[in-house]
Amino acid sequence: MTIVEAKPPVRSKKVPRPGKVRITPTVTVYLALLALLIVGSILVALQGGVLLDQGGILNILTRSTVLGLVAVGQTMVIVTGSLDLSVAYLVGLCSLVAAETMAGSDSMMVPGVLLALGVAAAVGLVNGLVITVLKANAFIATLGVALILRGYLEDNYTGPAGSVPRAFQHLGFDRLGPVPIASLLMVAIAAAAWWYLRRTRSGYHMYAVGGDIDVARLSGVRTGRTIVIAHVLCAVAAGLAGVFLASRLGSGAPYVGTDAGYDLESIAAVVLGGTALAGGRGGIVGTIGGVLILATLDTVFDDLAVDPFFKDVVRGIVLILAVALYARRQLSRRSA
């Protein structure tokens, strides 16, 4: 007698149609930016203004520069599944270090920048070691470092301090046509961060750690070193933001980072750009789109003279809708 084994039915996999555009989170954020520019231009025009004239474009790009620098660094730590809440105070601290070191002298510009970035790297190293060696939660660890920085600033400064030479202020105000030079530098740094994450072994390790730290460890990835590197790079990006603000203000300002809320703003930009807070997914290109959305929203609100409370309400709604949209898409992709 021949026994015929029954084979389970083979499920047909969905094959994407050729030529069909895949709507990724990165594509979504730039479509949202385009829609915001159109709607914002109409609303501002109804009030008798122009959103995308030279002044409006300059305003959007200037707002994007500092937030973009901080958000690029924040992307790296979030990709690894970590977080950094100390960046706002670090921005203020680095602006003071740069301005006080320069003390108005042209010959001290390079030492001032290098010292500010060195301080930033040291703070990032502390963040990374507290998380990896002491096994502290990233939220608590970086919040603790933020409180230490806050205590130092409150105890030693009551207002602006130091001064930068006039030559250094060209960084904050010079333009190449309608585009600020600082914005071009920010884009260059973002491009370097993109290359690092997507084209280097260390960048691949960051995604692996964020995807599943245990699997990454068993695969031979030095997870602790990867997290520390991410936090050092994030802190250096915040230090660059502080140096840029010193060039615009002409001095250091202890609370320039916290007044603008760059800690939560940078996280919001990263999340809007499609990077998962759990880590392992996302990237720099989407983050820059999120930064541009927040900068455009602020510019539109200023042109319309919107109440600050309403500004925060709208920004909160936009962030919640973005997170809900990405989560819904991820669930539908898993069930497909």
Side-chain angles (χ1 to χ4, degrees), residues 213-272:
I213 190 170
D214 293 326
V215 172
R217 186 184 295 111
L218 292 174
S219 301
V221 176
R222 300 178 66 176
T223 56
R225 184 175 69 174
T226 300
I227 293 173
V228 170
I229 290 174
H231 276 279
V232 170
L233 292 176
C234 177
V236 169
L240 287 170
V243 170
F244 167 70
L245 285 172
S247 73
R248 281 194 65 85
L249 299 173
S251 63
Y255 305 115
V256 67
T258 54
D259 288 345
Y262 287 126
D263 43 5
L264 300 181
E265 287 278 302
S266 61
I267 295 172
V270 173
V271 172
L272 279 175

Side-chain angles (χ1 to χ4, degrees), residues 118-331:
V119 169
V123 172
L125 180 62
V126 170
N127 279 330
L129 291 177
V130 170
I131 293 169
T132 56
V133 177
L134 301 182
K135 306 301 180 183
N137 178 273
F139 182 94
I140 301 300
T142 57
L143 180 60
V145 172
L147 293 176
I148 293 173
L149 296 179
R150 174 184 173 183
Y152 173 78
L153 293 173
E154 289 182 347
D155 187 58
N156 291 277
Y157 299 96
T158 56
S163 63
V164 302
R166 185 173 296 275
F168 190 70
Q169 294 185 39
H170 289 299
L171 172 64
F173 293 98
D174 280 8
R175 291 178 288 172
L176 188 62
V179 181
I181 290 178
S183 295
L184 296 176
L185 293 176
M186 185 272 288
V187 171
I189 291 169
W194 174 88
W195 175 84
Y196 181 83
L197 283 175
R198 297 292 184 175
R199 294 291 184 269
T200 67
R201 177 177 295 181
S202 182
Y204 294 148
H205 288 174
M206 289 183 182
Y207 280 101
V209 170
D212 192 316
I213 190 170
D214 293 326
V215 172
R217 186 184 295 111
L218 292 174
S219 301
V221 176
R222 300 178 66 176
T223 56
R225 184 175 69 174
T226 300
I227 293 173
V228 170
I229 290 174
H231 276 279
V232 170
L233 292 176
C234 177
V236 169
L240 287 170
V243 170
F244 167 70
L245 285 172
S247 73
R248 281 194 65 85
L249 299 173
S251 63
Y255 305 115
V256 67
T258 54
D259 288 345
Y262 287 126
D263 43 5
L264 300 181
E265 287 278 302
S266 61
I267 295 172
V270 173
V271 172
L272 279 175
T275 298
L277 277 174
R281 296 193 311 275
I284 301 297
V285 177
T287 293
I288 296 302
V291 168
L292 291 171
I293 284 178
L294 293 177
T296 303
L297 275 174
D298 282 342
T299 303
V300 171
F301 288 152
D302 287 347
D303 288 346
L304 298 178
V306 174
D307 181 81
F309 172 75
F310 185 70
K311 287 183 185 181
D312 292 336
V313 169
V314 173
R315 290 159 72 91
I317 291 173
V318 169
L319 183 59
I320 292 171
L321 289 176
V323 174
L325 176 64
Y326 296 146
R328 183 182 181 89
R329 178 174 296 157
Q330 189 65 25
L331 287 174

